[in-house]
């Protein structure tokens, strides 16, 4: 964390291929952290343990993943 940004990361094993659920997971973390640090940029990364590389998810990807996730949650609790 700096005065300008908070970095969040999730550690993953395997081939280092981004999957939709990883983006959704980080989007949920980002939403929670953003509410704790209003006005501060929150950056999200996946750190691939097997390769030692990291991958940053851009804000648009995270926003879309969060919207997809929240629609799924709302659909699951809406009466049929």
């Amino acid at each position: 964390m700096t005065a300008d940004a908070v970095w969040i990361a999730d550690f993953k094993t395997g081939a280092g291929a981004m999957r939709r659920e990883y983006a959704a997971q980080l989007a949920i973390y980002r939403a929670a952290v953003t509410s704790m640090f209003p006005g501060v940029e929150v950056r999200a990364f996946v750190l691939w343990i097997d390769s030692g590389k990291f991958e940053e998810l851009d804000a648009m990807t995270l926003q879309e993943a969060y919207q997809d996730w929240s629609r799924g949650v709302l659909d699951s609790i809406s009466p049929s």
Side-chain angles (χ1 to χ4, degrees), residues 11-28:
F11 294 82
K12 299 292 184 193
T13 59
M18 184 58 64
R19 295 189 348 211
R20 184 177 177 179
E21 60 264 25
Y22 298 167
Q25 186 177 14
L26 277 163
I28 295 164

Side-chain angles (χ1 to χ4, degrees), residues 10 15-16 28 38 42 56 61 68:
D10 195 7
I28 295 164
V42 179
E56 182 172 10
T61 298
D68 290 347

Side-chain angles (χ1 to χ4, degrees), residues 5-62:
V6 174
W7 289 23
I8 57 174
D10 195 7
F11 294 82
K12 299 292 184 193
T13 59
M18 184 58 64
R19 295 189 348 211
R20 184 177 177 179
E21 60 264 25
Y22 298 167
Q25 186 177 14
L26 277 163
I28 295 164
Y29 296 166
R30 181 176 176 252
V33 172
T34 297
S35 69
M36 292 185 287
F37 298 96
V40 176
E41 177 187 20
V42 179
R43 297 174 65 184
F45 298 84
V46 173
L47 285 95
W48 300 104
I49 294 171
D50 295 343
S51 68
K53 296 181 180 181
F54 66 94
E55 181 177 355
E56 182 172 10
L57 284 78
D58 63 79
M60 181 65 73
T61 298
L62 292 164

